[in-house]
Amino acid sequence: MHAKPHIILTQRRTGGTSLTAFLGEISHFPTCQHEPLNKTRIWKHIGLRYAETGDEAEMRAALAEVLEPRQNIKHCVELCHPAITRELIAQTAARDYQILVLTRRDEVSRQI
C-alpha cells in the first residue's frame, strides 16, 4: 500500500481539527492551513471569485492549481459553496486522496 494524502470533509464542532492534527503528525504529506477555502484563509480567492463570477471552469482550474502540491486538507462543508465542495471531492478523488467524512450523529450536541 502506498502513502496517500488525505482530505477530511467535516462539519463544524465534530472534532475535525483534532483529527487533522493527529493524522498530520503521522502522514508523509504536509498539511495545509485548516479549512483553506474559508473567506479568511489561504485559498479564499477561489470562493470569492466563484461567488463573483459563477464560472465553474475557472473554479475547477483554480482548485487544480492549489491541489498540485499533494497535501493533507481539512474542509468544512458548511462554510463553502456546494459546487466548490463537489469539485474538491472530485479532484481529490482523481488524485488518489484518502477521503474521510467526519460527522456527528447528535446534531443538537454538535451545535451546542
Side-chain angles (χ1 to χ4, degrees):
M1 190 157 111
H2 68 284
K4 299 178 182 185
H6 62 264
I7 179 167
I8 299 173
L9 304 167
T10 187
Q11 296 174 299
R12 292 179 284 185
R13 313 303 318 154
T14 59
T17 299
S18 298
L19 181 60
T20 300
F22 169 72
L23 292 176
E25 290 290 321
I26 61 173
S27 176
H28 296 287
F29 296 89
T31 299
C32 70
Q33 181 183 36
H34 289 212
E35 301 171 24
L37 290 161
N38 288 8
K39 292 179 182 178
T40 60
R41 305 289 168 84
I42 194 166
W43 298 347
K44 66 184 173 199
H45 62 282
I46 296 171
L48 294 174
R49 182 76 178 150
Y50 184 71
E52 180 182 312
T53 68
D55 187 333
E56 291 199 13
E58 180 182 12
M59 179 263 292
R60 278 192 296 276
L63 279 174
E65 183 178 330
V66 297
L67 292 172
E68 190 60 36
R70 292 166 55 86
Q71 53 193 322
N72 301 316
I73 303 165
K74 174 192 169 209
H75 175 67
C76 187
V77 299
E78 299 168 276
L79 302 178
C80 195
H81 192 283
I84 296 173
T85 297
R86 280 191 301 274
E87 186 61 29
L88 181 64
I89 293 167
Q91 289 199 30
T92 52
R95 288 172 169 76
D96 200 28
Y97 270 65
Q98 181 104 20
I99 299 175
L100 303 146
V101 178
L102 181 62
T103 62
R104 185 180 280 188
R105 291 177 194 241
D106 182 351
E107 185 65 15
V108 173
S109 292
R110 182 183 76 82
Q111 291 180 9
I112 291 174

